[in-house]
């Protein structure tokens, strides 16, 4: 068997790698809002008493916002907040090791950490961060305390378990099942606090008190919290949802590894498919062997089965759909079951252990490399299945999104602030997604200069495009910041008179644009050197939009496209007549600009320091 120091070293390496890849974690409207609130706490003296919006109706407490304000108080940068969140996530691996060592031995702890690092739904923690990145860590922190209380129960321990479970619930309410686990454990192992009934009552009261404390600010600020929570529950909770449990378990075991590899590698990649297959089969084999071990009395395997069943049943019960982040609280139990199965199998095959562990970690490394690669290209693909992981993935791949890694958010802010000007294309989308925090952090007074559009047909402003588009054009940008290339706008055909970047922390930052699409037609002349770019910066809030483009009367297909931008080129001739018809619920949000790409090799791209 491995010696404990080697197991500890491997767990530490996994945690460090998780944190290191965290520099490339992307963003989104949720982290944009969260960082905006945390920034206002540090720099504007804000004192929020409500936490992030849950299910569109309710709030939990503000603990997450104040936690996120801590790194910003020390280092006023987006990267500080992102790395802090990833540091919280990285703590799940030593916690799993510590619990595994208590349940069995260091081998189990190491294997549990390895199973947690496998490709799966929880790997999306490294694609975009939010409060949900703390779910696995806080779930494991709660389990760690509960396991310790089984061996040496006391009131202070149950109080701490209640606090941990409450914080996990604040990370996301899909973790609230931990309260049931604590209650059952406190009933069975109350400790020596008087007679049996008195001891049980004392343990339960201590746990309940700990669980209630993080909710006190919310209760003081919003007396209607119970009514809002009841409204959410009545709209979602149903016993009929329990029928989703088998689909959720299959999704955790099989669909998760395939979904993350499809997100960060190109469609049809045989490498991505094979890595996903290896990870899924390794996990399923471990889980099956773990169930057998549980039937045979293995303590760790039994706990893995219990946690997996309770978490999955609760997650299924409370909502008729299961977004990807609701799977995070299921993963620790499933990973323990897998690790227990691996341990049982490897006990008789010690020489195979290094090869098996190395193979699984190689699949985890493939995810990290894929994320970095996607971020450097300008983004990956997030399939609609993440809105409900129990559904089957679509047959046709979704267009790539535009991603900006944490490492480049502050770089982008500094680059834009050096020369304020209106922004278009992926830049307009990215700044909206990030709540304009790259500007608010580095040149808050200049934000209006990025919002007021240039008028008329004359060019002006800065266009941003995903780097993969430049490869399709066989061109290079004038400037590059991570996965986004920057170029000067040559012609403005259509743009909103005033771009409304989120200027506070309201969520959602824009109303959904629904209803029948309105068609608007544009016609203009442009030389063949110009590439026409049609953009929907509000695609999150207005996903249904079409563009019909013709050059000199002939239909033109995009030379490159993603979720946000579509690029059109008409190379023959010197001057062309363009006709662009766009249709959307709010066509005023659709932008049409052009730019002149620069021919050159990819090796000449200039990185912004």
């Amino acid at each position: 068997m491995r010696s404990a120091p080697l197991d500890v070293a491997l767990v530490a390496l996994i945690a460090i790698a998780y944190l290191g890849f965290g520099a490339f974690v992307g963003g989104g409207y949720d982290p944009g809002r969260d960082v905006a609130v945390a920034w206002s706490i540090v720099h504007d003296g804000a004192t929020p008493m409500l936490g992030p919006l849950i299910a569109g109706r309710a709030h939990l407490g503000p603990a997450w916002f104040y936690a996120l304000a801590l790194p910003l108080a020390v280092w006023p940068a987006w990267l500080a907040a992102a790395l802090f969140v990833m540091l919280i996530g990285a703590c799940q691996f030593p916690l799993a090791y510590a619990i595994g060592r208590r349940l069995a031995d260091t081998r189990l702890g190491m294997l549990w950490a390895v199973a947690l690092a496998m490709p799966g739904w929880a790997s999306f923690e490294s694609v975009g961060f939010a409060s949900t990145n703390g779910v696995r860590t806080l779930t494991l922190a709660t389990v760690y305390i509960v396991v310790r209380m089984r061996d040496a129960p006391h009131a202070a321990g149950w109080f701490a378990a209640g606090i941990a479970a409450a914080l996990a619930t604040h990370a996301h309410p899909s973790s609230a099942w931990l309260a049931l686990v604590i209650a059952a454990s406190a009933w069975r192992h109350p400790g020596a606090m008087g007679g049996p009934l008195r001891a049980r009552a004392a343990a339960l009261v201590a746990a309940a008190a700990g669980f209630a404390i993080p909710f006190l600010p919310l209760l003081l600020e919003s007396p209607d919290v119970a009514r809002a929570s009841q409204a959410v529950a009545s709209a979602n909770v149903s016993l009929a949802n329990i029928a989703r449990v088998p689909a959720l378990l299959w999704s955790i075991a099989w669909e998760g590894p395939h979904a993350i590899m499809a997100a960060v590698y190109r469609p049809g990649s045989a490498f991505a498919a094979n890595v996903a297959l290896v990870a899924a089969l390794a996990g399923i084999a471990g889980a099956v062997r773990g169930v057998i071990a549980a039937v045979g009395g293995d303590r760790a395997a039994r706990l893995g089965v219990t946690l997996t069943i309770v978490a999955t049943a609760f997650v299924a019960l409370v909502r008729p759909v299961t977004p990807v982040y609701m799977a995070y609280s299921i993963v620790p139990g499933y990973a323990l079951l897998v690790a227990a199965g691996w341990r049982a199998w490897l006990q008789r095959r010690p020489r195979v252990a290094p090869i098996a562990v190395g193979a699984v970690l190689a699949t985890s490394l493939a995810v990290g490399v894929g994320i970095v690669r996607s971020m450097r290209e300008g983004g990956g693909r997030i399939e609609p299945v993440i809105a409900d992981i129990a559904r089957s993935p679509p047959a046709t791949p979704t267009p790539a999104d535009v991603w900006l890694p944490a490492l480049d958010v502050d770089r982008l802010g500094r680059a834009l602030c050096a020369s304020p000007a209106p922004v278009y294309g992926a830049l307009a989308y990215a700044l909206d997604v990030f709540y304009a925090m790259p500007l608010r952090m580095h040149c808050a007074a200049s934000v209006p200069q990025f919002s007021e559009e240039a008028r008329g047909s004359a060019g002006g402003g800065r266009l941003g495009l995903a780097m993969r588009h430049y490869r399709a054009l066989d061109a290079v940008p004038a400037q590059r910041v991570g996965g986004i290339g920057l170029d000067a706008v040559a012609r403005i055909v259509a743009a909103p008179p005033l771009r409304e970047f989120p200027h506070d922390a309201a969520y959602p930052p824009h109303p959904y644009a629904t209803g029948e699409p309105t068609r608007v037609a544009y016609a203009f002349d442009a030389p063949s050197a110009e590439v026409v770019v049609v953009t929907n910066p509000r695609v999150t809030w207005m996903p249904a939009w079409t563009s019909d483009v013709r050059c000199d009367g002939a239909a033109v297909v995009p030379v490159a496209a993603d979720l946000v931008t579509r690029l059109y080129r008409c190379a023959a001739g010197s001057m062309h007549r363009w006709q662009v018809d766009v249709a959307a619920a709010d066509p005023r949000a659709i932008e049409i600009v052009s730019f002149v790409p620069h021919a050159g090799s990819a090796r000449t791209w200039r990185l912004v320091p």
Side-chain angles (χ1 to χ4, degrees):
M1 292 182 65
R2 285 177 177 269
S3 62
L6 290 178
D7 290 333
V8 171
L10 184 58
V11 173
L13 180 62
I14 293 171
I16 292 170
Y18 179 94
L19 180 59
F21 281 117
F24 292 89
V25 67
Y29 282 104
D30 282 359
R33 170 206 59 202
D34 296 350
V35 174
V37 176
W39 184 265
S40 69
I41 292 172
V42 175
H43 296 277
D44 301 326
T47 56
M49 299 296 283
L50 298 177
L53 189 66
I54 302 297
R57 299 186 185 184
H59 293 268
L60 293 181
W64 168 246
F65 292 147
Y66 287 97
L68 205 56
L70 295 176
L72 293 176
V74 177
W75 179 18
W78 180 278
L79 184 58
L83 289 179
F84 176 76
V85 174
M86 299 308 289
L87 177 62
I88 293 174
C91 292
Q92 66 186 283
F93 304 108
L95 277 169
Y97 175 81
I99 303 168
R101 189 176 60 177
R102 280 188 166 271
L103 291 173
D105 51 29
T106 59
R107 170 61 62 84
L108 176 64
M110 179 272 291
L111 291 174
W112 195 355
V114 170
L116 285 169
M118 280 198 312
W121 288 119
S123 302
F124 282 93
E125 288 178 351
S126 297
V127 172
F129 72 88
S131 63
T132 51
N133 283 54
V135 165
R136 291 202 291 176
T137 293
L138 291 166
T139 295
L140 286 165
T142 306
V143 173
Y144 175 75
I145 299 171
V146 168
V147 170
R148 289 199 61 169
M149 290 304 96
R150 287 184 176 184
D151 299 330
H154 51 83
W158 292 119
F159 180 78
I163 291 178
L167 292 177
T169 303
H170 275 70
H172 195 269
S174 56
S175 306
W177 58 269
L178 289 167
L180 303 177
V181 173
I182 292 173
S185 299
W187 183 263
R188 293 185 61 188
H189 309 280
M193 292 178 280
L197 288 178
R198 183 177 180 182
R200 285 171 174 167
L204 290 172
V205 168
F211 190 82
I213 284 179
F215 289 92
L216 290 180
L218 173 65
L219 296 173
L220 294 174
E221 174 68 16
S222 178
D224 295 332
V225 61
R227 187 180 307 132
S229 300
Q230 184 179 7
V232 171
S234 62
N236 291 277
V237 178
S238 171
L239 285 175
N241 295 342
I242 295 294
R244 294 167 50 85
V245 166
L248 287 178
L249 289 173
W250 174 250
S251 183
I252 294 290
W254 183 262
E255 299 294 352
H258 288 83
I260 184 61
M261 295 304 293
V264 298
Y265 286 92
R266 293 171 189 166
S269 168
F271 172 76
N274 290 331
V275 168
L277 179 64
V278 169
L281 291 179
I284 292 172
V288 171
R289 184 64 181 86
V291 171
I292 296 172
V295 173
D298 185 287
R299 180 188 181 193
R302 286 186 171 183
L303 179 59
V305 169
T306 301
L307 295 178
T308 302
I309 292 176
V310 172
T312 307
F314 181 84
V315 168
L317 172 69
V318 298
R319 198 168 178 183
V321 296
T322 307
V324 60
Y325 47 79
M326 290 185 68
Y328 294 173
S329 72
I330 301 173
V331 172
Y334 176 74
L336 173 58
L337 179 62
V338 169
W342 287 347
R343 175 176 173 271
W345 188 79
L346 291 173
Q347 279 181 332
R348 296 184 179 182
R349 303 167 182 85
R351 294 182 180 180
V352 181
I355 300 174
V357 170
V360 174
L361 288 179
T363 66
S364 304
L365 181 62
V367 172
V369 171
I371 290 173
V372 172
R373 182 174 172 275
S374 295
M375 293 294 177
R376 301 301 289 171
E377 288 191 339
R381 288 169 173 79
I382 301 295
E383 300 292 353
V385 69
I386 70 164
D388 184 7
I389 65 170
R391 291 166 46 192
S392 299
T396 304
T398 298
D401 198 354
V402 176
W403 295 350
L404 184 66
L407 186 66
D408 295 320
V409 173
D410 297 294
R411 292 176 178 177
L412 179 64
R414 289 192 294 267
L416 295 179
C417 289
S419 180
V423 292
Y424 303 90
L427 271 182
Y429 172 73
L431 289 176
D432 199 74
V433 165
F434 282 81
Y435 271 64
M437 290 310 298
L439 306 180
R440 293 161 69 178
M441 286 179 162
H442 297 283
C443 58
S446 300
V447 170
Q449 298 180 56
F450 296 92
S451 302
E452 297 171 358
E453 310 296 339
R455 297 180 182 275
S457 60
R462 192 181 277 116
L463 172 70
L465 295 172
M467 289 305 303
R468 60 180 169 273
H469 292 342
Y470 287 94
R471 184 173 59 247
L473 294 172
D474 194 22
V476 296
Q479 193 177 33
R480 175 184 179 182
V481 182
I484 294 181
L486 310 179
D487 267 299
V489 171
R491 185 180 310 273
I492 301 169
V493 179
L498 179 66
R499 189 182 307 285
E500 297 179 2
F501 288 129
H503 59 277
D504 51 23
Y507 190 90
H510 310 293
Y512 283 97
T514 58
E516 290 297 319
T518 300
R519 182 171 295 276
V520 178
Y522 301 90
F524 58 96
D525 296 317
S528 59
E530 293 183 13
V531 172
V532 174
V533 182
V534 184
T535 305
N536 180 5
R538 298 283 182 84
V539 67
T540 304
W541 316 105
M542 188 176 66
W545 67 293
T546 61
S547 57
D548 179 23
V549 179
R550 295 179 178 272
C551 177
D552 297 330
V556 183
V557 298
V559 66
D562 55 32
L563 194 66
V564 181
T565 57
R566 299 169 186 171
L567 281 63
Y568 300 88
R569 172 180 254 173
C570 193
S574 58
M575 193 66 117
H576 303 286
R577 184 64 175 174
W578 288 89
Q579 293 173 291
V580 180
D581 292 0
V582 297
D586 183 8
R588 296 171 301 173
I590 305 297
E591 301 173 355
I592 305 172
V593 301
S594 70
F595 79 109
V596 179
H598 309 280
S601 167
R603 297 184 181 276
T604 65
W605 286 338
R606 181 167 65 89
L607 294 176
V608 174

